[in-house]
Amino acid sequence: MEHAIPELVDSFLRRPNPAVITCIKPDGYPMPVATWYDWDGERVLVNMDARRSRLAWMRENPKVGFTVLGDNWYQHVSFTGDVVAIEEDQDLADIDLLSTRYTGRRFRNRNAHRVSAWIVPRIWHVWELDRK
């Protein structure tokens, strides 16, 4: 990102909040899908089954939208960004990180073929993060 992420936004994104990723389909229409994510302070990690259509869409068009919701729908961070890396998750380390973050346990399907994508936010919008 061109500007540093404010501490309030950074701490919000580090929580296991519900999130939605939007990819652009080949027909030009956006497709939003709920997802687990992690935030490393600069990039968002998402992980998916290798057979997911959104993986092919990301490869074709790396521009995505992303929204993270807080305790109520007023609190959210939304951004557009670019998928900057797509990597095989051969040892399931990334999906285990996400599964542990959201469920407290490693990912259950140890034979899964998983793929990780890293997203760099470009333009973001923050709403009501300081609301209690």
Side-chain angles (χ1 to χ4, degrees), residues 49-61:
D49 186 285
R51 298 170 294 181
R52 294 288 179 237
S53 295
R54 68 181 170 268
L55 178 58
W57 301 338
M58 284 182 203
R59 285 185 167 128
E60 186 174 318
N61 183 346

Side-chain angles (χ1 to χ4, degrees), residues 85-98:
I86 296 175
E87 307 164 342
E88 296 288 324
D89 187 12
Q90 293 178 344
D91 61 0
L92 304 180
D94 291 339
I95 191 59
D96 281 344
L97 179 131
L98 296 175

Side-chain angles (χ1 to χ4, degrees), residues 5-21:
I5 299 283
E7 177 58 36
L8 187 63
V9 174
D10 183 72
S11 64
F12 177 79
L13 293 175
R14 290 184 187 276
R15 298 195 316 249
N17 292 314
V20 176
I21 187 169

